[in-house]
């Protein structure tokens, strides 16, 4: 199994796992460090979280912006706060994480409490692939209220939606992990519909 995973990882070297169709920013010739093995290791062990850059995403602009004194003042960031990074060791180490369970075990209690839940995924996100999310939602065995169907913005298909009793699963077409960053109109539409308690 490890050998097979290694072979697959080698074939995905240099692919942007956060958005399959975006280039991998920061990739250099013969760079063999950006494959699923290093991403998985990085995500699970926080080994590289000291870096202000996420693999392939080129986050220097955001990092420089949120580190500016005027921005920190406008956001009421305390002067003694740690320097802003896209991912933070301090924040990450404070999480109570069980990698074997993930977050699925929270959902039954949230549904039972009557919270309205919409869960969206970009359909070209390889870091948190939508099919995995779709499967764990299906495995909750919730009654389906609306079968898998398109949702649109104007005449364009923006993704797909399936409504369960307790959770709505939404995909956003042609984007990856950072839906609000890469598909702003679609993200705003999802948020607006949710806040207005209207169907997608």
């Amino acid at each position: 199994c490890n050998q097979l995973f290694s072979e697959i990882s080698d074939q995905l070297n240099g692919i942007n796992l956060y958005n399959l169709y975006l280039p991998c920013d920061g990739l250099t010739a013969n760079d063999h460090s950006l494959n699923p093995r290093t991403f998985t290791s990085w995500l699970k062990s926080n080994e590289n979280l000291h870096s202000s850059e996420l693999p392939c995403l080129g986050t220097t602009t955001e990092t420089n912006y949120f580190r500016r004194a005027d921005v920190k003042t406008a956001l009421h960031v305390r002067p003694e706060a740690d320097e802003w990074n896209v991912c933070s060791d301090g924040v990450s180490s404070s999480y109570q994480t069980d990698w074997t369970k993930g977050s699925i075990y929270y959902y039954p209690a949230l549904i039972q409490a009557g919270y309205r839940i919409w869960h969206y995924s970009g359909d070209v996100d390889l870091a948190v692939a939508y099919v995995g999310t779709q499967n764990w939602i299906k495995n909750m065995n919730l009654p389906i209220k609306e079968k898998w169907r398109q949702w649109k913005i104007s005449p364009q298909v923006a993704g797909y939606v399936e409504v369960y009793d307790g959770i709505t699963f939404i995909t956003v077409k042609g984007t990856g992990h950072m839906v609000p960053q890469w598909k702003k109109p679609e993200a705003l539409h999802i948020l607006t519909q949710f806040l207005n308690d209207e169907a997608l």
Side-chain angles (χ1 to χ4, degrees), residues 1-195:
C1 186
N2 286 336
Q3 176 62 31
L4 184 58
F5 183 70
S6 180
E7 290 173 17
I8 292 169
S9 292
D10 289 342
Q11 293 301 314
L12 292 173
N13 190 58
I15 298 292
N16 186 333
L17 295 183
Y18 296 104
N19 189 326
L20 178 62
Y21 296 116
L22 286 183
C24 188
D25 290 344
L27 190 64
T28 58
N30 301 316
D31 189 343
H32 297 289
S33 63
L34 296 175
N35 63 50
R37 284 176 294 186
T38 55
F39 275 72
T40 303
S41 169
W42 174 78
L43 288 169
K44 288 189 176 180
S45 69
N46 299 330
E47 289 170 4
N48 297 320
L49 290 182
H50 62 275
S51 169
S52 62
E53 286 283 323
L54 284 172
C56 290
L57 294 182
T59 55
T60 302
T61 301
E62 295 91 333
T63 299
N64 291 341
Y65 177 77
F66 284 112
R67 288 182 178 178
R68 284 179 19 197
D70 62 320
V71 173
K72 288 160 74 170
T73 299
L75 295 173
H76 304 283
V77 175
R78 295 185 315 258
E80 69 275 10
D82 290 341
E83 200 168 52
W84 189 87
N85 285 307
V86 172
C87 289
S88 161
D89 285 329
V91 172
S92 297
S93 64
S94 298
Y95 285 138
Q96 301 277 331
T97 305
D98 183 340
W99 290 104
T100 61
K101 290 183 180 178
S103 61
I104 187 171
Y105 61 95
Y106 288 119
Y107 285 89
L110 294 172
I111 292 168
Q112 181 81 24
Y115 288 102
R116 193 165 45 98
I117 303 167
W118 283 18
H119 197 298
Y120 66 83
S121 295
D123 66 3
V124 294
D125 179 1
L126 298 180
V128 183
Y130 84 91
V131 292
T133 303
Q134 186 179 37
N135 284 337
W136 69 252
I137 291 173
K138 283 186 178 186
N139 288 338
M140 291 177 67
N141 296 315
L142 299 168
I144 296 174
K145 293 172 73 175
E146 279 185 51
K147 290 186 178 184
W148 184 261
R149 62 166 174 81
Q150 297 176 345
W151 67 276
K152 298 180 179 185
I153 295 181
S154 299
Q156 296 297 318
V157 174
Y160 291 85
V161 61
E162 189 161 41
V163 180
Y164 294 84
D165 188 13
I167 190 167
T168 297
F169 176 61
I170 304 159
T171 68
V172 182
K173 184 168 88 60
T175 195
H177 202 67
M178 278 73 128
V179 171
Q181 181 175 340
W182 295 324
K183 291 283 189 168
K184 291 172 181 64
E186 291 84 346
L188 179 60
H189 185 73
I190 291 169
L191 180 61
T192 301
Q193 296 302 101
F194 181 83
L195 293 176

